[in-house]
Amino acid sequence: MKTKLLALSVLAGNSLFAAPRVVVGIGVGGYGAGYYAPPPPPPAIAYAPPYPGPGYTWVAGYWYPAGPRYAWRAGYWVRPPYVGARWIAPRYYGRRYHHGYWRR
C-alpha cells in the first residue's frame, strides 16, 4: 500500500510542473510608431566613369540601409529595364527611407 501511495504522489507531483503556460503579448503603437533610423550621411562626391555607349543611363551613388546603419552604393552605368524608363533615386523623406526604382 505504501508503495502505491508513494508512486501516486510522485506522479501527481510531476504533473504540477507540466501545467500549461499562457503568454500574452501586447503591442502599443502601430506601423508608424517606434524607432526611426537617423537620416543617411550626405552623398559622397564621385565622378562618373566614361560613357560606355548608347542606351546607358547613369545611376548616381546613394546610401541604402544595411541593418542598423547605412552603406554606400557607388554610381554605375546601366541599361534601363525597358524603353522610356528613367531612374528615380532613393530618398529619405518623412523619417522613412524610400528605395530607388525605374519609372516610365
Side-chain angles (χ1 to χ4, degrees):
M1 182 72 169
K2 288 182 184 180
T3 308
K4 289 181 183 178
L5 186 58
L6 180 64
L8 183 63
S9 64
V10 168
L11 289 175
N14 286 339
S15 66
L16 290 175
F17 297 111
R21 305 278 194 279
V22 176
V23 177
V24 177
I26 299 174
V28 178
Y31 180 75
Y35 172 75
Y36 289 102
I45 297 175
Y47 297 98
Y51 181 65
Y56 283 86
T57 301
W58 174 252
V59 174
Y62 56 89
W63 292 99
Y64 66 93
R69 55 193 141 181
Y70 287 94
W72 177 253
R73 171 66 163 108
Y76 56 96
W77 288 103
V78 65
R79 286 185 186 255
Y82 49 86
V83 176
R86 78 183 164 103
W87 175 250
I88 305 299
R91 64 200 175 282
Y92 185 84
Y93 178 75
R95 298 192 309 179
R96 291 182 190 263
Y97 179 82
H98 300 275
H99 295 278
Y101 58 95
W102 290 98
R103 184 176 186 170
R104 288 202 185 276

